[in-house]
Amino acid sequence: MPEHDDTPRPETAGSEPVAPSFSSQFRDAVQNAGIARVAPGEAPSGRALLGAVGGIRGLAESVLPGFAFLVVYAITKELVPSVVIPVVVGLVFVALRLAQRQSLTMSFAGILGVAVSAGLALITGRAESNFIPGIVINSVWLVGLLVSLAVRWPLIGLVVGFLLPANEDGSHVDWRADPVKRRVLTVATWIWVGLFALRLAVEVPLYLTAQVELLAGLKLILGVPLYAAVLWVTWLLVRTVFVRGDAATTV
């Protein structure tokens, strides 16, 4: 009989499980994000870009609740149906994914955002409160991107690094040693800063002046379409340096 191996395994040693490192958590978050479908070094394609924004189903789940709010509010000027109907639309998408045994992660994230927005609007009695969560999220992203630039660790560089194979030491930040890559990834990060800054520059004044219909319409335009455009530009920028300098390691 084979001898019993009493050597403790890393995952079972000790009485408590080891908490995942920040690096591993960040890597998992990047791999689960839409941008992970846009691999550095690949030739840009419409299909890959569509996948990066969630595909046809993802587009519908992102756009239809906001569109429903705009249409219902424009017709009725009533708060309750305007915020409740988008929640119903989101629940329909969740039900469809359940029926088709598909992943519910994105649907639940979407319905949570719609529900929180609806709750704030109902609590305050103001239709423009429906847009507070989006303004907060854009503000957080803007601050995070600016902080990453201030400390010279551009966030897009971190994301791209985790989409490429790790170095021999297991790290994903060798791009920092290449001035050209670092410069391009810094520029790409500034482009994303521009996206969130533009959203806030447009949406905050409309929120403060309670121009609900105009705010709802412009938010749709500044949502997925602008995100896809910036993603495409980022992809082109990143591909230039990684194709030219890393043909052997592109994914």
Side-chain angles (χ1 to χ4, degrees), residues 1-229:
M1 293 179 63
E3 294 182 0
H4 179 66
D5 184 2
D6 291 325
T7 303
R9 300 292 188 269
E11 64 271 15
T12 59
S15 57
E16 295 182 359
V18 178
S21 65
F22 172 78
S23 177
S24 63
Q25 293 182 47
F26 184 81
R27 185 181 305 109
D28 291 342
V30 169
Q31 293 296 338
N32 290 329
I35 196 173
R37 300 187 182 218
V38 183
E42 284 187 354
S45 69
R47 176 171 303 198
L49 183 65
L50 182 61
V53 298
I56 299 298
R57 173 73 63 84
L59 281 173
E61 292 178 349
S62 299
V63 172
L64 286 184
F67 184 71
F69 173 90
L70 174 60
V71 171
V72 175
Y73 189 82
I75 294 174
T76 68
K77 297 297 189 298
E78 294 289 336
L79 174 61
V80 174
S82 299
V83 298
V84 170
I85 289 177
V87 174
V88 174
V89 171
L91 289 173
V92 169
F93 283 118
V94 171
L96 287 174
R97 286 190 179 270
L98 277 173
Q100 297 174 357
R101 299 181 182 275
Q102 296 180 347
S103 172
L104 298 177
T105 303
M106 295 305 298
S107 290
F108 274 134
I111 191 62
L112 178 62
V114 174
V116 170
S117 299
L120 284 173
L122 292 174
I123 290 171
T124 62
R126 300 170 56 196
E128 61 269 25
S129 296
N130 185 67
F131 301 95
I132 290 177
I135 291 174
V136 171
I137 291 172
N138 285 318
S139 300
V140 170
W141 272 109
L142 179 60
V143 171
L145 288 162
L146 289 174
V147 168
S148 75
L149 289 165
V151 299
R152 299 189 176 183
W153 282 81
L155 186 57
I156 299 305
L158 294 174
V159 172
V160 169
F162 278 108
L163 295 179
L164 292 169
N167 299 331
E168 293 182 0
D169 61 359
S171 70
H172 294 260
V173 293
D174 62 324
W175 54 268
R176 298 194 77 243
D178 186 323
V180 175
K181 290 180 181 177
R182 191 171 65 248
R183 190 178 305 117
V184 167
L185 293 169
T186 298
V187 170
T189 302
W190 274 112
I191 292 174
W192 285 91
V193 167
L195 179 148
F196 293 108
L198 176 61
R199 286 178 176 175
L200 291 171
V202 171
E203 294 175 13
V204 171
L206 295 176
Y207 165 77
L208 294 175
T209 54
Q211 299 185 57
V212 177
E213 294 170 50
L214 185 57
L215 176 55
L218 289 176
K219 184 178 180 181
L220 288 174
I221 296 172
L222 297 175
V224 175
L226 184 59
Y227 170 81

